[in-house]
Amino acid sequence: MLRLPDLVSLLNLICGIGSIAVAAQATVQAATLQTGANHNGFVLALILLLVAAIADGADGYIARRFKGGELGEQLDSLADAVSFGVAPALLIYLQFGQINPLVGDPDPLVAVFPVFYAICGVLRLARFNSMTASKTGFEGLPITAGCVMLVTYMLLSENLVKIDFLLALTLCLSILMVSSVNYPKIKNVKVLVFIASIFGITMLLYLYNIEYMRIFSILPFILMLIYIFCPFFKVPVLSNLGNKEYRNKGLRIGKEKQ
C-alpha cells in the first residue's frame, strides 16, 4: 500500500511530468509565433520543478516521521530521475536548442550537455541506491540540488541568462553529481522551512508579477551557489544549524573560553 511519503513522491513525479508537458506545449506555441505564450510557459515549467523540489524535501522528512518503507525509497529515486534529471535536460534543449524556433533547426551542441546531465543524474541516483545511506551527508552533489541550481539560474533576468554559461554550469553540475565530493545532508527543520519559504515566495511572485519574481530569484540562486561550493570552502554547520547537539557543543566551547 502507498503511504503518505509515497503520495508526496508521486506529487514530485507529477510536477516533473507537468513541467515537461508545459515546456513542450510552449515550444509548439512558439512555432505558431505565439512568443509571449512560449515565454510564460517556459517560466511555469521551471516553477513546477521548484514545486517538485519542495515535495522531494518534504517526502524525506515525512518518511522519517512516519517510517516510509522500501517501496518509498525506490519510488522517490524514480520520481527524482524524471523531475530532476530528464525534465531540466529537456527544458534546456527545448528553450535553447533551437536555432530558429519557427523552422525548428536543432543545435546538436546544446543537446549534448543536457543529455550528459541526465545520464550523470541517473548514475548518481543508482549509486545512491546501491550504497549504505549516510546520516551526515551525500557522496556527490544531490540531483535535486543540481536541478534547482539550473532552475534558479534560468529564472533570472533574460539579460543574465547566457547559453554559454548555462551549458558550462550544466557540465559542472553533471561532474559534481558523479564525483566523490561530500555534500552535507540538511535535516534541520528550521533550515528546510526557510529554504521552502524562499521557493514558495518565488512561486507566489510568479503569480503576481514575473519581473518581481526574476529579481527575487537572485536570492535562491545565491543560496544554491553557497551549497554547491560549501565542500570546497568548508562552509560550516549547513546540516547542523539548530540541532540540539550542535547548540550544546557551542555552549561548551563558550564556557571553556570563559
Side-chain angles (χ1 to χ4, degrees):
M1 293 183 61
L2 292 175
R3 304 181 182 182
L4 180 59
D6 304 333
L7 297 178
V8 180
S9 295
L10 288 177
L11 174 61
N12 170 7
L13 177 62
I14 291 171
C15 289
I17 296 173
S19 177
I20 295 172
V22 170
Q25 183 181 21
T27 303
V28 173
Q29 291 173 337
T32 59
L33 298 181
Q34 299 178 23
T35 55
N38 168 54
H39 175 75
N40 294 334
F42 181 70
V43 175
L44 176 58
L46 295 173
I47 292 295
L48 286 173
L49 292 185
L50 286 185
V51 179
I54 294 176
D56 182 57
D59 70 1
Y61 174 75
I62 294 173
R64 290 191 293 270
R65 292 293 301 271
F66 296 94
K67 297 181 180 179
E70 184 178 350
L71 174 64
E73 295 178 3
Q74 302 301 323
L75 180 62
D76 180 56
S77 293
L78 292 172
D80 289 352
V82 175
S83 298
F84 310 127
V86 176
L90 277 174
L91 261 61
I92 292 173
Y93 179 72
L94 289 175
Q95 181 67 10
F96 302 100
Q98 304 294 326
I99 299 175
N100 184 341
L102 181 60
V103 179
D105 296 330
D107 185 354
L109 182 62
V110 179
V112 170
F113 289 87
V115 168
F116 183 67
Y117 170 86
I119 292 173
C120 289
V122 172
L123 290 175
R124 165 70 176 78
L125 291 169
R127 182 178 66 178
F128 178 78
N129 288 346
S130 63
M131 296 175 61
T132 303
S134 172
K135 295 183 179 181
T136 58
F138 302 100
E139 182 178 352
L141 178 70
I143 188 173
T144 307
C147 174
V148 174
M149 181 79 257
L150 292 172
V151 168
T152 54
Y153 175 67
M154 288 187 285
L155 283 175
L156 296 177
S157 171
E158 294 180 336
N159 296 328
L160 298 176
V161 179
K162 305 298 182 182
I163 183 59
D164 293 338
F165 181 82
L166 177 61
L167 294 180
L169 179 62
T170 303
L171 179 61
C172 292
L173 294 174
S174 303
I175 296 173
L176 286 174
M177 284 192 295
V178 295
S179 71
S180 58
V181 177
N182 292 317
Y183 279 88
K185 180 181 293 186
I186 302 176
K187 296 190 295 183
N188 181 261
V189 178
K190 293 180 180 180
V191 178
L192 291 174
V193 169
F194 172 74
I195 296 173
S197 300
I198 296 298
F199 291 168
I201 294 173
T202 304
M203 291 181 284
L204 289 175
L205 287 176
Y206 165 76
L207 298 175
Y208 177 69
N209 188 299
I210 290 183
E211 294 305 319
Y212 290 165
M213 179 214 66
R214 291 192 181 280
I215 296 173
F216 184 81
S217 296
I218 296 175
L219 180 55
F221 176 70
I222 292 175
L223 289 177
M224 292 310 304
L225 278 180
I226 293 173
Y227 184 79
I228 296 297
F229 286 105
C230 70
F232 305 101
F233 295 100
K234 306 299 181 183
V235 178
V237 301
L238 273 178
S239 58
N240 296 319
L241 280 173
N243 286 351
K244 183 177 180 181
E245 180 181 352
Y246 180 78
R247 291 198 302 268
N248 293 338
K249 182 180 178 181
L251 289 174
R252 289 197 302 270
I253 294 176
K255 291 179 180 179
E256 291 176 359
K257 290 183 177 179
Q258 293 176 357

